[in-house]
Amino acid sequence: MTAPTPIRGYTASKDQLLARLRRAQGQVRGIEKMIDEDRYCIDVLTQISAIQAALDKVALGLLDGHARHCMHEGAAEGRADEMATEMMAAVGRLMKRG
Amino acid sequence: MTAPTPIRGYTASKDQLLARLRRAQGQVRGIEKMIDEDRYCIDVLTQISAIQAALDKVALGLLDGHARHCMHEGAAEGRADEMATEMMAAVGRLMKRG
Amino acid sequence: MTAPTPIRGYTASKDQLLARLRRAQGQVRGIEKMIDEDRYCIDVLTQISAIQAALDKVALGLLDGHARHCMHEGAAEGRADEMATEMMAAVGRLMKRG
Amino acid sequence: MTAPTPIRGYTASKDQLLARLRRAQGQVRGIEKMIDEDRYCIDVLTQISAIQAALDKVALGLLDGHARHCMHEGAAEGRADEMATEMMAAVGRLMKRG
């Protein structure tokens, strides 16, 4: 008997997140090709900004599911403060970009 | 009889937030003076980055208190989803800077 | 006899920059007041995002004048590399926000 | 006879940029796997922040080479203003992330 798959806050839109990430991967490959072909720098930068925006959306999607879960269950699980601290650290990293 | 002051999530560190904001205000005035005196552009930009960092800290401080409150009370108040939606919109604006 | 005022890249729109900064200062004061009056956290965060956006505009305005100056004069002054290094450090700080 | 490859400002460190992008691609694949396996949301967010930081470095590397080129050649090519306008638009997009 195997352990049950944990239900993460983002399970609902998992397919959507995976689709976005696959697209982001294709975009990174595209940038690699642009640089390999010595394409104009400004055009490459525009593409990088587009990937950053896509990754921001994935991050916000994950964070949304997580926050929702924490607000529903945090008090009941007695982990409200722990969850808030952990989430704020993640938000801080996203704002500073790593 | 007046209505009681609402207890906001950030009440605890209110003095600290106000002190930081007063410092940020002084920094903005400092930049005004630097530009008025035609100081070197790069030095002005360094100061602007310092203010943005200070405002990020104020924002994270406010958000932390708010998230903590929502995770403790969200479920009990029956507003968990509403609170999560509202908070994520604020995080999105902070990441995009307005 | 006094030394002449140096002509900075941003002299052109100095009045505009100063006006924007004065507005930003008023906004920071407004946030102080909001926190002092225990206003709703999310509304304060919206205001902070607005200031961040205003300061970004001031920074981009300064940087634009500076880049323009460097591209016109960098080669003639024999300081092209030095100017590029210095400018990129400033851009990096703006992207990381301090 | 084929047209010569244009010399872009970033040619010098092209191998380094390509290596960084390949690593970023691996990281995006890693995140896909993490989400597919329902890994803890906060850990996925940490990885996303790491990719954002890596892409920021690629962008700054490209921009540095470009700015250097513009400051050396902008005046001679009579395109100083055009180059500055174009570069500032790219910086603005990077700061706003797309």
Side-chain angles (χ1 to χ4, degrees), chain A residues 8 10 14 25 32 36 38-40 46 52 56 86 93-94 97, chain D residues 8 10 14 25 32 36 38-40 46 52 56 86 93-94 97:
Chain A
R8 299 295 182 204
Y10 57 87
K14 196 171 153 174
Q25 228 186 291
E32 230 181 288
D36 198 46
D38 293 299
R39 294 276 291 281
Y40 189 49
T46 302
Q52 302 272 35
D56 275 351
E86 192 185 60
R93 282 192 296 271
L94 287 172
R97 308 186 192 194
Chain D
R8 300 295 181 205
Y10 57 86
K14 195 170 154 175
Q25 229 186 290
E32 231 180 287
D36 197 45
D38 294 298
R39 295 275 292 279
Y40 190 49
T46 302
Q52 303 269 34
D56 275 351
E86 191 184 59
R93 281 191 296 271
L94 287 172
R97 310 186 190 192

PDB file of all heavy atoms in Angstrom, chain A residues 8 10 14 25 32 36 38-40 46 52 56 86 93-94 97, chain D residues 8 10 14 25 32 36 38-40 46 52 56 86 93-94 97:
ATOM      1  N   ARG A   8      -2.121  19.322  -2.333  1.00  0.00           N
ATOM      2  CA  ARG A   8      -1.521  20.647  -2.202  1.00  0.00           C
ATOM      3  C   ARG A   8      -2.551  21.702  -2.588  1.00  0.00           C
ATOM      4  O   ARG A   8      -3.495  21.409  -3.322  1.00  0.00           O
ATOM      5  CB  ARG A   8      -0.312  20.790  -3.132  1.00  0.00           C
ATOM      6  CG  ARG A   8       0.786  19.814  -2.854  1.00  0.00           C
ATOM      7  CD  ARG A   8       1.375  20.069  -1.471  1.00  0.00           C
ATOM      8  NE  ARG A   8       2.473  19.149  -1.204  1.00  0.00           N
ATOM      9  CZ  ARG A   8       2.852  18.829   0.019  1.00  0.00           C
ATOM     10  NH1 ARG A   8       2.224  19.313   1.068  1.00  0.00           N
ATOM     11  NH2 ARG A   8       3.867  18.016   0.204  1.00  0.00           N
ATOM     12  N   TYR A  10      -2.408  23.831  -4.710  1.00  0.00           N
ATOM     13  CA  TYR A  10      -2.477  24.181  -6.133  1.00  0.00           C
ATOM     14  C   TYR A  10      -3.025  23.066  -7.003  1.00  0.00           C
ATOM     15  O   TYR A  10      -3.026  23.172  -8.219  1.00  0.00           O
ATOM     16  CB  TYR A  10      -1.097  24.605  -6.639  1.00  0.00           C
ATOM     17  CG  TYR A  10       0.006  23.590  -6.468  1.00  0.00           C
ATOM     18  CD1 TYR A  10       0.231  22.610  -7.423  1.00  0.00           C
ATOM     19  CD2 TYR A  10       0.840  23.628  -5.360  1.00  0.00           C
ATOM     20  CE1 TYR A  10       1.253  21.694  -7.266  1.00  0.00           C
ATOM     21  CE2 TYR A  10       1.858  22.716  -5.197  1.00  0.00           C
ATOM     22  CZ  TYR A  10       2.063  21.743  -6.150  1.00  0.00           C
ATOM     23  OH  TYR A  10       3.071  20.857  -5.993  1.00  0.00           O
ATOM     24  N   LYS A  14      -3.491  22.438 -11.518  1.00  0.00           N
ATOM     25  CA  LYS A  14      -2.207  21.813 -11.827  1.00  0.00           C
ATOM     26  C   LYS A  14      -1.940  21.736 -13.335  1.00  0.00           C
ATOM     27  O   LYS A  14      -0.846  22.051 -13.785  1.00  0.00           O
ATOM     28  CB  LYS A  14      -2.216  20.402 -11.213  1.00  0.00           C
ATOM     29  CG  LYS A  14      -0.876  19.750 -11.101  1.00  0.00           C
ATOM     30  CD  LYS A  14      -1.001  18.470 -10.273  1.00  0.00           C
ATOM     31  CE  LYS A  14       0.069  17.479 -10.646  1.00  0.00           C
ATOM     32  NZ  LYS A  14       0.038  16.295  -9.756  1.00  0.00           N
ATOM     33  N   GLN A  25       9.343  26.847 -20.816  1.00  0.00           N
ATOM     34  CA  GLN A  25      10.522  26.088 -21.226  1.00  0.00           C
ATOM     35  C   GLN A  25      10.820  26.305 -22.713  1.00  0.00           C
ATOM     36  O   GLN A  25      11.964  26.507 -23.118  1.00  0.00           O
ATOM     37  CB  GLN A  25      10.244  24.609 -20.998  1.00  0.00           C
ATOM     38  CG  GLN A  25      11.338  23.884 -20.278  1.00  0.00           C
ATOM     39  CD  GLN A  25      11.025  22.388 -20.229  1.00  0.00           C
ATOM     40  OE1 GLN A  25      10.099  21.970 -19.538  1.00  0.00           O
ATOM     41  NE2 GLN A  25      11.787  21.621 -20.967  1.00  0.00           N
ATOM     42  N   GLU A  32      17.724  30.787 -26.199  1.00  0.00           N
ATOM     43  CA  GLU A  32      19.007  30.137 -26.467  1.00  0.00           C
ATOM     44  C   GLU A  32      19.324  30.206 -27.966  1.00  0.00           C
ATOM     45  O   GLU A  32      20.428  30.554 -28.364  1.00  0.00           O
ATOM     46  CB  GLU A  32      18.887  28.668 -26.047  1.00  0.00           C
ATOM     47  CG  GLU A  32      20.003  28.171 -25.140  1.00  0.00           C
ATOM     48  CD  GLU A  32      19.793  26.706 -24.826  1.00  0.00           C
ATOM     49  OE1 GLU A  32      18.857  26.423 -24.043  1.00  0.00           O
ATOM     50  OE2 GLU A  32      20.520  25.869 -25.378  1.00  0.00           O
ATOM     51  N   ASP A  36      22.276  32.128 -29.913  1.00  0.00           N
ATOM     52  CA  ASP A  36      23.147  31.327 -30.763  1.00  0.00           C
ATOM     53  C   ASP A  36      23.240  31.922 -32.169  1.00  0.00           C
ATOM     54  O   ASP A  36      24.294  31.877 -32.807  1.00  0.00           O
ATOM     55  CB  ASP A  36      22.599  29.887 -30.819  1.00  0.00           C
ATOM     56  CG  ASP A  36      23.657  28.920 -31.308  1.00  0.00           C
ATOM     57  OD1 ASP A  36      24.802  29.012 -30.809  1.00  0.00           O
ATOM     58  OD2 ASP A  36      23.358  28.093 -32.190  1.00  0.00           O
ATOM     59  N   ASP A  38      22.976  35.058 -32.880  1.00  0.00           N
ATOM     60  CA  ASP A  38      23.363  36.475 -32.777  1.00  0.00           C
ATOM     61  C   ASP A  38      22.241  37.431 -33.142  1.00  0.00           C
ATOM     62  O   ASP A  38      22.477  38.439 -33.811  1.00  0.00           O
ATOM     63  CB  ASP A  38      24.598  36.748 -33.662  1.00  0.00           C
ATOM     64  CG  ASP A  38      25.818  36.032 -33.145  1.00  0.00           C
ATOM     65  OD1 ASP A  38      26.230  36.316 -32.005  1.00  0.00           O
ATOM     66  OD2 ASP A  38      26.341  35.157 -33.861  1.00  0.00           O
ATOM     67  N   ARG A  39      21.054  37.142 -32.668  1.00  0.00           N
ATOM     68  CA  ARG A  39      19.915  38.036 -32.920  1.00  0.00           C
ATOM     69  C   ARG A  39      20.064  39.318 -32.116  1.00  0.00           C
ATOM     70  O   ARG A  39      20.812  39.384 -31.145  1.00  0.00           O
ATOM     71  CB  ARG A  39      18.611  37.323 -32.551  1.00  0.00           C
ATOM     72  CG  ARG A  39      18.326  36.133 -33.468  1.00  0.00           C
ATOM     73  CD  ARG A  39      17.650  36.584 -34.748  1.00  0.00           C
ATOM     74  NE  ARG A  39      16.310  37.047 -34.419  1.00  0.00           N
ATOM     75  CZ  ARG A  39      15.262  36.240 -34.198  1.00  0.00           C
ATOM     76  NH1 ARG A  39      15.405  34.932 -34.311  1.00  0.00           N
ATOM     77  NH2 ARG A  39      14.082  36.736 -33.890  1.00  0.00           N
ATOM     78  N   TYR A  40      19.306  40.340 -32.503  1.00  0.00           N
ATOM     79  CA  TYR A  40      19.467  41.657 -31.897  1.00  0.00           C
ATOM     80  C   TYR A  40      19.148  41.622 -30.393  1.00  0.00           C
ATOM     81  O   TYR A  40      18.080  41.172 -29.971  1.00  0.00           O
ATOM     82  CB  TYR A  40      18.568  42.660 -32.622  1.00  0.00           C
ATOM     83  CG  TYR A  40      18.830  44.089 -32.218  1.00  0.00           C
ATOM     84  CD1 TYR A  40      20.130  44.598 -32.199  1.00  0.00           C
ATOM     85  CD2 TYR A  40      17.796  44.938 -31.852  1.00  0.00           C
ATOM     86  CE1 TYR A  40      20.374  45.908 -31.835  1.00  0.00           C
ATOM     87  CE2 TYR A  40      18.036  46.248 -31.488  1.00  0.00           C
ATOM     88  CZ  TYR A  40      19.339  46.722 -31.481  1.00  0.00           C
ATOM     89  OH  TYR A  40      19.579  48.019 -31.101  1.00  0.00           O
ATOM     90  N   THR A  46      13.440  41.513 -24.777  1.00  0.00           N
ATOM     91  CA  THR A  46      11.969  41.508 -24.786  1.00  0.00           C
ATOM     92  C   THR A  46      11.444  40.108 -24.478  1.00  0.00           C
ATOM     93  O   THR A  46      10.496  39.940 -23.699  1.00  0.00           O
ATOM     94  CB  THR A  46      11.439  41.982 -26.156  1.00  0.00           C
ATOM     95  OG1 THR A  46      11.945  43.299 -26.404  1.00  0.00           O
ATOM     96  CG2 THR A  46       9.918  42.018 -26.187  1.00  0.00           C
ATOM     97  N   GLN A  52       9.857  36.184 -17.734  1.00  0.00           N
ATOM     98  CA  GLN A  52       9.744  36.614 -16.340  1.00  0.00           C
ATOM     99  C   GLN A  52       8.269  36.827 -15.990  1.00  0.00           C
ATOM    100  O   GLN A  52       7.815  36.426 -14.905  1.00  0.00           O
ATOM    101  CB  GLN A  52      10.505  37.931 -16.109  1.00  0.00           C
ATOM    102  CG  GLN A  52      11.994  37.881 -16.457  1.00  0.00           C
ATOM    103  CD  GLN A  52      12.850  37.419 -15.304  1.00  0.00           C
ATOM    104  OE1 GLN A  52      12.429  36.576 -14.533  1.00  0.00           O
ATOM    105  NE2 GLN A  52      14.046  37.952 -15.189  1.00  0.00           N
ATOM    106  N   ASP A  56       6.232  34.800 -13.201  1.00  0.00           N
ATOM    107  CA  ASP A  56       5.506  35.518 -12.142  1.00  0.00           C
ATOM    108  C   ASP A  56       4.081  34.995 -12.028  1.00  0.00           C
ATOM    109  O   ASP A  56       3.549  34.840 -10.924  1.00  0.00           O
ATOM    110  CB  ASP A  56       5.460  37.026 -12.450  1.00  0.00           C
ATOM    111  CG  ASP A  56       6.710  37.752 -11.972  1.00  0.00           C
ATOM    112  OD1 ASP A  56       7.531  37.135 -11.263  1.00  0.00           O
ATOM    113  OD2 ASP A  56       6.878  38.932 -12.305  1.00  0.00           O
ATOM    114  N   GLU A  86       6.399  31.584   6.863  1.00  0.00           N
ATOM    115  CA  GLU A  86       6.935  30.888   5.699  1.00  0.00           C
ATOM    116  C   GLU A  86       6.474  31.544   4.397  1.00  0.00           C
ATOM    117  O   GLU A  86       7.257  31.734   3.467  1.00  0.00           O
ATOM    118  CB  GLU A  86       6.437  29.438   5.766  1.00  0.00           C
ATOM    119  CG  GLU A  86       7.083  28.482   4.819  1.00  0.00           C
ATOM    120  CD  GLU A  86       6.404  27.123   4.929  1.00  0.00           C
ATOM    121  OE1 GLU A  86       5.174  27.030   4.678  1.00  0.00           O
ATOM    122  OE2 GLU A  86       7.086  26.160   5.255  1.00  0.00           O
ATOM    123  N   ARG A  93      11.156  36.828  -1.292  1.00  0.00           N
ATOM    124  CA  ARG A  93      12.078  36.337  -2.335  1.00  0.00           C
ATOM    125  C   ARG A  93      11.553  36.665  -3.729  1.00  0.00           C
ATOM    126  O   ARG A  93      12.319  37.040  -4.614  1.00  0.00           O
ATOM    127  CB  ARG A  93      12.282  34.820  -2.199  1.00  0.00           C
ATOM    128  CG  ARG A  93      13.242  34.417  -1.081  1.00  0.00           C
ATOM    129  CD  ARG A  93      13.628  32.933  -1.168  1.00  0.00           C
ATOM    130  NE  ARG A  93      12.491  32.062  -0.974  1.00  0.00           N
ATOM    131  CZ  ARG A  93      12.063  31.590   0.214  1.00  0.00           C
ATOM    132  NH1 ARG A  93      12.706  31.920   1.314  1.00  0.00           N
ATOM    133  NH2 ARG A  93      11.031  30.796   0.291  1.00  0.00           N
ATOM    134  N   LEU A  94      10.234  36.527  -3.917  1.00  0.00           N
ATOM    135  CA  LEU A  94       9.668  36.841  -5.241  1.00  0.00           C
ATOM    136  C   LEU A  94       9.816  38.327  -5.556  1.00  0.00           C
ATOM    137  O   LEU A  94      10.113  38.702  -6.685  1.00  0.00           O
ATOM    138  CB  LEU A  94       8.183  36.443  -5.291  1.00  0.00           C
ATOM    139  CG  LEU A  94       7.910  34.932  -5.358  1.00  0.00           C
ATOM    140  CD1 LEU A  94       6.419  34.663  -5.200  1.00  0.00           C
ATOM    141  CD2 LEU A  94       8.416  34.329  -6.667  1.00  0.00           C
ATOM    142  N   ARG A  97      13.283  38.889  -6.322  1.00  0.00           N
ATOM    143  CA  ARG A  97      13.693  37.933  -7.353  1.00  0.00           C
ATOM    144  C   ARG A  97      14.911  37.123  -6.927  1.00  0.00           C
ATOM    145  O   ARG A  97      15.973  37.225  -7.540  1.00  0.00           O
ATOM    146  CB  ARG A  97      14.069  38.636  -8.639  1.00  0.00           C
ATOM    147  CG  ARG A  97      13.012  39.590  -9.125  1.00  0.00           C
ATOM    148  CD  ARG A  97      13.456  40.088 -10.443  1.00  0.00           C
ATOM    149  NE  ARG A  97      12.674  41.206 -10.900  1.00  0.00           N
ATOM    150  CZ  ARG A  97      12.719  41.636 -12.145  1.00  0.00           C
ATOM    151  NH1 ARG A  97      13.507  41.035 -12.996  1.00  0.00           N
ATOM    152  NH2 ARG A  97      12.007  42.654 -12.514  1.00  0.00           N
TER     153      ARG A  97
ATOM    154  N   ARG D   8      27.361  41.236 -32.422  1.00  0.00           N
ATOM    155  CA  ARG D   8      26.518  41.832 -31.395  1.00  0.00           C
ATOM    156  C   ARG D   8      27.354  42.172 -30.178  1.00  0.00           C
ATOM    157  O   ARG D   8      28.413  41.587 -29.959  1.00  0.00           O
ATOM    158  CB  ARG D   8      25.410  40.852 -30.955  1.00  0.00           C
ATOM    159  CG  ARG D   8      24.491  40.425 -32.049  1.00  0.00           C
ATOM    160  CD  ARG D   8      23.694  41.618 -32.553  1.00  0.00           C
ATOM    161  NE  ARG D   8      22.778  41.184 -33.602  1.00  0.00           N
ATOM    162  CZ  ARG D   8      22.313  41.990 -34.532  1.00  0.00           C
ATOM    163  NH1 ARG D   8      22.715  43.259 -34.572  1.00  0.00           N
ATOM    164  NH2 ARG D   8      21.470  41.560 -35.436  1.00  0.00           N
ATOM    165  N   TYR D  10      27.079  41.293 -27.321  1.00  0.00           N
ATOM    166  CA  TYR D  10      27.232  40.244 -26.312  1.00  0.00           C
ATOM    167  C   TYR D  10      28.068  39.074 -26.791  1.00  0.00           C
ATOM    168  O   TYR D  10      28.187  38.068 -26.105  1.00  0.00           O
ATOM    169  CB  TYR D  10      25.853  39.741 -25.866  1.00  0.00           C
ATOM    170  CG  TYR D  10      24.966  39.207 -26.957  1.00  0.00           C
ATOM    171  CD1 TYR D  10      25.046  37.891 -27.373  1.00  0.00           C
ATOM    172  CD2 TYR D  10      24.026  40.018 -27.561  1.00  0.00           C
ATOM    173  CE1 TYR D  10      24.214  37.404 -28.363  1.00  0.00           C
ATOM    174  CE2 TYR D  10      23.186  39.547 -28.554  1.00  0.00           C
ATOM    175  CZ  TYR D  10      23.286  38.231 -28.951  1.00  0.00           C
ATOM    176  OH  TYR D  10      22.463  37.744 -29.924  1.00  0.00           O
ATOM    177  N   LYS D  14      29.196  34.955 -25.103  1.00  0.00           N
ATOM    178  CA  LYS D  14      28.100  34.148 -25.648  1.00  0.00           C
ATOM    179  C   LYS D  14      28.034  32.750 -25.025  1.00  0.00           C
ATOM    180  O   LYS D  14      26.948  32.282 -24.663  1.00  0.00           O
ATOM    181  CB  LYS D  14      28.306  34.033 -27.152  1.00  0.00           C
ATOM    182  CG  LYS D  14      27.124  33.549 -27.925  1.00  0.00           C
ATOM    183  CD  LYS D  14      27.387  33.728 -29.416  1.00  0.00           C
ATOM    184  CE  LYS D  14      26.570  32.737 -30.213  1.00  0.00           C
ATOM    185  NZ  LYS D  14      26.717  32.987 -31.670  1.00  0.00           N
ATOM    186  N   GLN D  25      16.904  26.352 -18.291  1.00  0.00           N
ATOM    187  CA  GLN D  25      15.960  25.414 -18.895  1.00  0.00           C
ATOM    188  C   GLN D  25      15.813  24.169 -18.021  1.00  0.00           C
ATOM    189  O   GLN D  25      14.711  23.685 -17.791  1.00  0.00           O
ATOM    190  CB  GLN D  25      16.500  24.993 -20.244  1.00  0.00           C
ATOM    191  CG  GLN D  25      15.499  25.097 -21.365  1.00  0.00           C
ATOM    192  CD  GLN D  25      16.095  24.515 -22.635  1.00  0.00           C
ATOM    193  OE1 GLN D  25      17.007  25.100 -23.211  1.00  0.00           O
ATOM    194  NE2 GLN D  25      15.593  23.367 -23.033  1.00  0.00           N
ATOM    195  N   GLU D  32       8.604  21.837 -13.271  1.00  0.00           N
ATOM    196  CA  GLU D  32       7.517  21.046 -13.861  1.00  0.00           C
ATOM    197  C   GLU D  32       7.381  19.722 -13.106  1.00  0.00           C
ATOM    198  O   GLU D  32       6.284  19.310 -12.738  1.00  0.00           O
ATOM    199  CB  GLU D  32       7.871  20.757 -15.313  1.00  0.00           C
ATOM    200  CG  GLU D  32       6.800  21.089 -16.316  1.00  0.00           C
ATOM    201  CD  GLU D  32       7.256  20.753 -17.715  1.00  0.00           C
ATOM    202  OE1 GLU D  32       8.112  21.510 -18.236  1.00  0.00           O
ATOM    203  OE2 GLU D  32       6.795  19.726 -18.254  1.00  0.00           O
ATOM    204  N   ASP D  36       4.347  18.316 -10.846  1.00  0.00           N
ATOM    205  CA  ASP D  36       3.754  17.038 -11.231  1.00  0.00           C
ATOM    206  C   ASP D  36       3.710  16.076 -10.040  1.00  0.00           C
ATOM    207  O   ASP D  36       2.768  15.304  -9.883  1.00  0.00           O
ATOM    208  CB  ASP D  36       4.572  16.438 -12.382  1.00  0.00           C
ATOM    209  CG  ASP D  36       3.799  15.357 -13.103  1.00  0.00           C
ATOM    210  OD1 ASP D  36       2.607  15.600 -13.387  1.00  0.00           O
ATOM    211  OD2 ASP D  36       4.370  14.284 -13.379  1.00  0.00           O
ATOM    212  N   ASP D  38       3.448  16.958  -6.937  1.00  0.00           N
ATOM    213  CA  ASP D  38       2.768  17.613  -5.805  1.00  0.00           C
ATOM    214  C   ASP D  38       3.717  17.964  -4.663  1.00  0.00           C
ATOM    215  O   ASP D  38       3.374  17.779  -3.490  1.00  0.00           O
ATOM    216  CB  ASP D  38       1.615  16.738  -5.281  1.00  0.00           C
ATOM    217  CG  ASP D  38       0.501  16.603  -6.300  1.00  0.00           C
ATOM    218  OD1 ASP D  38      -0.085  17.636  -6.649  1.00  0.00           O
ATOM    219  OD2 ASP D  38       0.259  15.485  -6.782  1.00  0.00           O
ATOM    220  N   ARG D  39       4.887  18.471  -5.023  1.00  0.00           N
ATOM    221  CA  ARG D  39       5.831  18.880  -3.976  1.00  0.00           C
ATOM    222  C   ARG D  39       5.340  20.141  -3.266  1.00  0.00           C
ATOM    223  O   ARG D  39       4.484  20.867  -3.784  1.00  0.00           O
ATOM    224  CB  ARG D  39       7.211  19.134  -4.602  1.00  0.00           C
ATOM    225  CG  ARG D  39       7.828  17.852  -5.169  1.00  0.00           C
ATOM    226  CD  ARG D  39       8.551  17.065  -4.101  1.00  0.00           C
ATOM    227  NE  ARG D  39       9.711  17.808  -3.688  1.00  0.00           N
ATOM    228  CZ  ARG D  39      10.863  17.822  -4.364  1.00  0.00           C
ATOM    229  NH1 ARG D  39      10.999  17.104  -5.459  1.00  0.00           N
ATOM    230  NH2 ARG D  39      11.889  18.531  -3.938  1.00  0.00           N
ATOM    231  N   TYR D  40       5.926  20.417  -2.120  1.00  0.00           N
ATOM    232  CA  TYR D  40       5.436  21.518  -1.282  1.00  0.00           C
ATOM    233  C   TYR D  40       5.577  22.865  -2.006  1.00  0.00           C
ATOM    234  O   TYR D  40       6.651  23.244  -2.478  1.00  0.00           O
ATOM    235  CB  TYR D  40       6.206  21.528   0.043  1.00  0.00           C
ATOM    236  CG  TYR D  40       5.618  22.479   1.061  1.00  0.00           C
ATOM    237  CD1 TYR D  40       4.253  22.472   1.343  1.00  0.00           C
ATOM    238  CD2 TYR D  40       6.423  23.386   1.724  1.00  0.00           C
ATOM    239  CE1 TYR D  40       3.713  23.339   2.267  1.00  0.00           C
ATOM    240  CE2 TYR D  40       5.888  24.255   2.658  1.00  0.00           C
ATOM    241  CZ  TYR D  40       4.533  24.230   2.928  1.00  0.00           C
ATOM    242  OH  TYR D  40       3.995  25.107   3.847  1.00  0.00           O
ATOM    243  N   THR D  46      10.497  28.817  -4.157  1.00  0.00           N
ATOM    244  CA  THR D  46      11.921  29.109  -3.988  1.00  0.00           C
ATOM    245  C   THR D  46      12.676  28.840  -5.287  1.00  0.00           C
ATOM    246  O   THR D  46      13.542  29.623  -5.693  1.00  0.00           O
ATOM    247  CB  THR D  46      12.511  28.233  -2.849  1.00  0.00           C
ATOM    248  OG1 THR D  46      11.778  28.513  -1.661  1.00  0.00           O
ATOM    249  CG2 THR D  46      13.979  28.537  -2.617  1.00  0.00           C
ATOM    250  N   GLN D  52      14.211  33.184 -11.748  1.00  0.00           N
ATOM    251  CA  GLN D  52      14.071  34.622 -12.027  1.00  0.00           C
ATOM    252  C   GLN D  52      15.423  35.322 -11.859  1.00  0.00           C
ATOM    253  O   GLN D  52      15.796  36.168 -12.670  1.00  0.00           O
ATOM    254  CB  GLN D  52      13.051  35.269 -11.069  1.00  0.00           C
ATOM    255  CG  GLN D  52      11.665  34.653 -11.090  1.00  0.00           C
ATOM    256  CD  GLN D  52      10.726  35.319 -12.078  1.00  0.00           C
ATOM    257  OE1 GLN D  52      11.170  35.755 -13.126  1.00  0.00           O
ATOM    258  NE2 GLN D  52       9.451  35.358 -11.758  1.00  0.00           N
ATOM    259  N   ASP D  56      17.490  37.218 -14.738  1.00  0.00           N
ATOM    260  CA  ASP D  56      17.919  38.608 -14.540  1.00  0.00           C
ATOM    261  C   ASP D  56      19.404  38.755 -14.872  1.00  0.00           C
ATOM    262  O   ASP D  56      19.819  39.748 -15.465  1.00  0.00           O
ATOM    263  CB  ASP D  56      17.691  39.040 -13.073  1.00  0.00           C
ATOM    264  CG  ASP D  56      16.268  39.533 -12.830  1.00  0.00           C
ATOM    265  OD1 ASP D  56      15.519  39.693 -13.803  1.00  0.00           O
ATOM    266  OD2 ASP D  56      15.920  39.764 -11.663  1.00  0.00           O
ATOM    267  N   GLU D  86      15.594  53.132 -27.223  1.00  0.00           N
ATOM    268  CA  GLU D  86      15.347  51.701 -27.335  1.00  0.00           C
ATOM    269  C   GLU D  86      15.828  50.964 -26.080  1.00  0.00           C
ATOM    270  O   GLU D  86      15.136  50.083 -25.554  1.00  0.00           O
ATOM    271  CB  GLU D  86      16.110  51.202 -28.555  1.00  0.00           C
ATOM    272  CG  GLU D  86      15.801  49.810 -28.998  1.00  0.00           C
ATOM    273  CD  GLU D  86      16.713  49.424 -30.159  1.00  0.00           C
ATOM    274  OE1 GLU D  86      17.963  49.439 -29.986  1.00  0.00           O
ATOM    275  OE2 GLU D  86      16.188  49.111 -31.226  1.00  0.00           O
ATOM    276  N   ARG D  93      10.894  47.534 -19.292  1.00  0.00           N
ATOM    277  CA  ARG D  93      10.208  46.225 -19.327  1.00  0.00           C
ATOM    278  C   ARG D  93      10.822  45.268 -18.308  1.00  0.00           C
ATOM    279  O   ARG D  93      10.106  44.514 -17.634  1.00  0.00           O
ATOM    280  CB  ARG D  93      10.290  45.607 -20.726  1.00  0.00           C
ATOM    281  CG  ARG D  93       9.293  46.194 -21.726  1.00  0.00           C
ATOM    282  CD  ARG D  93       9.240  45.359 -23.012  1.00  0.00           C
ATOM    283  NE  ARG D  93      10.502  45.364 -23.739  1.00  0.00           N
ATOM    284  CZ  ARG D  93      10.857  46.259 -24.666  1.00  0.00           C
ATOM    285  NH1 ARG D  93      10.043  47.226 -24.984  1.00  0.00           N
ATOM    286  NH2 ARG D  93      12.028  46.175 -25.254  1.00  0.00           N
ATOM    287  N   LEU D  94      12.146  45.289 -18.184  1.00  0.00           N
ATOM    288  CA  LEU D  94      12.798  44.399 -17.207  1.00  0.00           C
ATOM    289  C   LEU D  94      12.393  44.769 -15.780  1.00  0.00           C
ATOM    290  O   LEU D  94      12.175  43.887 -14.938  1.00  0.00           O
ATOM    291  CB  LEU D  94      14.318  44.454 -17.348  1.00  0.00           C
ATOM    292  CG  LEU D  94      14.891  43.759 -18.592  1.00  0.00           C
ATOM    293  CD1 LEU D  94      16.381  44.061 -18.723  1.00  0.00           C
ATOM    294  CD2 LEU D  94      14.676  42.241 -18.531  1.00  0.00           C
ATOM    295  N   ARG D  97       8.998  43.678 -15.329  1.00  0.00           N
ATOM    296  CA  ARG D  97       8.896  42.264 -15.682  1.00  0.00           C
ATOM    297  C   ARG D  97       7.826  42.010 -16.735  1.00  0.00           C
ATOM    298  O   ARG D  97       6.857  41.272 -16.473  1.00  0.00           O
ATOM    299  CB  ARG D  97       8.540  41.414 -14.476  1.00  0.00           C
ATOM    300  CG  ARG D  97       9.412  41.670 -13.277  1.00  0.00           C
ATOM    301  CD  ARG D  97       9.061  40.688 -12.250  1.00  0.00           C
ATOM    302  NE  ARG D  97       9.656  40.945 -10.973  1.00  0.00           N
ATOM    303  CZ  ARG D  97       9.657  40.067 -10.006  1.00  0.00           C
ATOM    304  NH1 ARG D  97       9.110  38.897 -10.195  1.00  0.00           N
ATOM    305  NH2 ARG D  97      10.225  40.337  -8.867  1.00  0.00           N
TER     306      ARG D  97
END
